[in-house]
Amino acid sequence: MTIAFAVAAREVAVDVGHYAAEPGVISASGTPEFEYNLALALAVKAELEKLNLKVRLIGERGQYAKLGWRTRDAQGADLFVSIHHDSVKERLLPRANEFSGFSLFVSRLNPFSAQSLACASLIGKRLRESDFKPSRYHADPALGESRPFADEANGVHYYDNLAVARSATMPSVLVEAGVIVNAAEEAKMRDPEVRATIARAIAEGVRECLSK
Ligand SMILES: [Zn+2]
């Protein structure tokens, strides 16, 4: 006799970084980061659902003024993924076209820091397999903020005090998809095909990580 067990679908909280009143970085073309984050988060949601994962969107209406509300409303999800687009230090903005690539951040203060890192590494690996490159500059003391590498090859950094990673009650990864103060990179980030490729890579990394 065989008994089939229904396996509950794993759920991913996909967080849209920033909110209407403080929409994040302003891109090279003058577009607020929130708009890019929302478009990519919706694409990530679609790709995760294709892989039979459940998705809970966080902050998609631009209403989350307090960071703690995001992780509070993610409670019960198996993974928290925060979607952002990147900038550079203000004094480096005139050289913004020299900076490009994705970055991933995890916190050692998250209660599931090892699993957070495992998920971030798998997302970075999938992005690299899709020909995206880690930005690397966040590790640099002059060009970035000396954020140490947690997994250098896959573009993962430690950012211990990152609020959405620290306060999460599940593994948490923050994704900076690309540097939108760089006009050429912004054009890529706006391309629906590029966006779908990034979303697919993130979703595949997440699925692999949650199936372990
Ligand atoms: Zn951001």
Side-chain angles (χ1 to χ4, degrees), residues 142-164:
L143 302 178
E145 310 82 21
S146 303
R147 304 246 180 259
F149 282 114
D151 174 357
E152 182 166 1
N154 290 314
V156 186
H157 301 257
Y158 286 121
Y159 186 169
D160 292 330
N161 283 321
L162 186 64
V164 289

Side-chain angles (χ1 to χ4, degrees), residues 18 33 37 84-85 176:
H18 305 282
E33 181 193 341
N37 297 345
H84 287 256
H85 289 72
E176 295 280 4

Side-chain angles (χ1 to χ4, degrees), residues 9 36 66 144 154 167 172 176-177 182 186-187 200-201 210:
Y36 281 96
K66 289 219 169 76
N154 290 314
S167 63
S172 173
E176 295 280 4
N182 170 341
E186 183 189 8
R200 205 171 305 126
L210 289 181

Side-chain angles (χ1 to χ4, degrees), residues 13-102:
V14 177
D15 172 53
V16 182
H18 305 282
Y19 57 101
E22 288 187 23
V25 168
I26 302 301
S27 75
S29 75
T31 305
E33 181 193 341
F34 179 82
E35 289 183 27
Y36 281 96
N37 297 345
L38 178 58
L40 180 55
L42 291 171
V44 170
K45 175 179 188 284
E47 294 296 332
L48 286 168
E49 286 171 347
K50 281 187 207 165
L51 300 175
N52 296 318
L53 289 157
K54 271 176 73 181
V55 176
R56 193 185 311 180
L57 276 178
I58 305 282
E60 77 279 14
R61 292 187 299 279
Q63 77 280 37
Y64 279 64
K66 289 219 169 76
L67 288 168
W69 295 347
R70 297 173 185 269
T71 46
R72 177 199 68 194
D73 289 355
Q75 275 177 36
D78 297 287
L79 177 68
F80 186 91
V81 180
S82 190
I83 302 292
H84 287 256
H85 289 72
D86 215 351
S87 183
V88 295
K89 289 178 170 177
E90 200 170 343
R91 67 177 174 81
L92 295 170
L93 281 172
R95 295 168 50 192
N97 62 354
E98 296 169 30
F99 297 85
S100 62
F102 71 85

